[in-house]
Amino acid sequence: MTFSENDTIQIENHGLTIDKVNEQVKLITSGMSYSNLKEAATVGNGILNIENQKESHYIQLFERKKNELSMVKFVPASGAATRMFKFLFQFLNSYNSKEETLEDYIKRMDNVNVQTFVNNLEKLPCFEEVVHKIHKVIPNYNDLSYGERCIEFVKTMLDDDRLNYSFYPKGLLPFHRYKDYVATAFEEHLFEAAYYASSNNKANLHFTISEVHHNKFQEELNHIQEEIENETGISFNISFSYQKSTTDTIALTQDKEIYKEQDGSILFRPSGHGALLENLNDLDYDIVFIKNIDNVVVKKHHQTISNYKKVLAGVLLEAQEQTFKFLHLLEKGDIDEKDIDRITEFMTNKLNIVIATDFETASLESKIFYVREKLNRPIRVCGMVKNEGEPGGGPFWVEDNKGAVSLQIVESAQIDSTIESQISLLQNATHFNPVDLVCGVKNYRGEAFDLTKYVDQDAAFITSKTQAGTDISALELPGLWNGSMAYWNSIFVEVPLITFNPVKTVNDLLKPAHQMS
């Protein structure tokens, strides 16, 4: 690509380089590199099932060691909650209360989402706030027809001159209603962290947010922090960061030209959650818990949830301890073939590392180099829940273009939909990843890994979008728990469905895990 002087200035002001932009162009034009699934990971074949007595072992292991560790809970929390209310925006656009009743509209449209929503208004955590606002805006609200009242209820939630919920980040919306107050997802994450992500009576949480929402998050923190600290006996260190502009990507038109705005400036787009690897890499902790902002539950489930987080952390610490012992042994030298056998057995059985086919015939020196390089990597322990049709990345054994097989989390978008055998493996997978990770990000010497060195750059996503009426091909970086962790050592553990309670639409807040009664 050739760039004008103005292009070059804009690229450099964005923290990028011409070479970096040309790399992005090359990735888009060469087409997406799909994963080559060999088989789905299942219990006993890549997924660990932990029996009850072993759960207690791992919880106790974590409890014994936690005060020696620095820990942080890392919560991706950027973006507005617009998609939560998509079906309600469609409802406002398609329903005319003067032409038909709400019942007739729902029947004609066969709209289960609207039916569920209007039938359960009083169970919504925002109900009282919405009703209070309605009566301020529409004094004769009670005189309206049922259909009109429902329209005004939804408009009060969404209109920018009323409550404007769709502008808010998901973490700051009313999520759970208790007897005396309503809690946000942001608040629930603090309470949860007190249970399992705290050591020495202190909990560190890091939220990646949009800069436009920073003040609102800070206001909420100022409002809730003292009360939560008094209730839990835990002091909180809360930090925020934004997705870095240096991770933004360009887009191409159908003519393979860089898409530009009407004023001639290059369009730079946020590059997906893979960009957050940079934010994760900036943190300096021994252990990192990763969990999405919307995957929280009401307080009565916090203890159950926290036990499974402790199990995952215990599994990590046990694997890490043995890994570090072997790495210290390898560093000292004086290694023989029996030592190599013990190490490779651990690599295979505990870290799910598939040993190269030519390993057995290699020299002892080559074997030592190989096992050391494979062991000295970040470790992640990922919860996996049984697949019940929810969207999410799945656990698979994947073969790369050099024939090496490894355990990976793969999104459906990474799978070539034109290859029947690949789609069949996807559809018959038994488990999926609910973004439930515990990560060991320091090496056996206590030094932080540079996480950017363990990314499969070929696992980038290329998506088709429309920008101002123009079809574009946009680039997203390898997903944070997909390609961005491709060269980590991975342990997958089966966890129960209670640990997975995402809120993708407002109706999800009606599910039992989000209701006190």
Side-chain angles (χ1 to χ4, degrees), residues 448-497:
F449 286 107
D450 178 358
L451 303 181
T452 63
K453 292 183 177 178
Y454 302 91
V455 179
D456 178 5
Q457 301 294 351
D458 290 337
F461 295 88
I462 299 164
T463 58
S464 298
K465 304 283 185 182
T466 302
Q467 184 77 22
T470 300
D471 292 333
I472 60 172
S473 295
L475 180 69
E476 290 189 11
L477 295 177
L480 180 59
W481 39 86
N482 311 114
S484 284
M485 296 182 177
Y487 300 121
W488 293 39
N489 287 327
S490 299
I491 302 171
F492 295 165
V493 178
E494 185 178 57
V495 292
L497 269 172

Side-chain angles (χ1 to χ4, degrees), residues 75-85 129 157 163-175 183-187 189 207-221 240-242 292-294 503 509:
V75 184
S78 58
T82 310
R83 279 182 290 184
M84 269 181 68
F85 305 106
E129 183 178 32
M157 290 174 64
L163 293 175
N164 199 20
Y165 283 161
S166 67
F167 166 76
Y168 275 66
K170 197 181 283 189
L172 295 182
L173 289 175
F175 247 57
T184 61
F186 178 62
E187 179 175 337
H189 273 283
F207 295 83
T208 60
I209 61 174
S210 298
E211 188 170 3
V212 68
H213 296 140
H214 193 149
N215 289 343
K216 287 188 179 296
F217 273 103
Q218 192 62 54
E219 287 170 13
E220 175 72 353
L221 180 60
F240 303 100
S241 65
Y242 318 130
N292 275 344
I293 187 67
D294 62 331
V503 177
L509 291 170

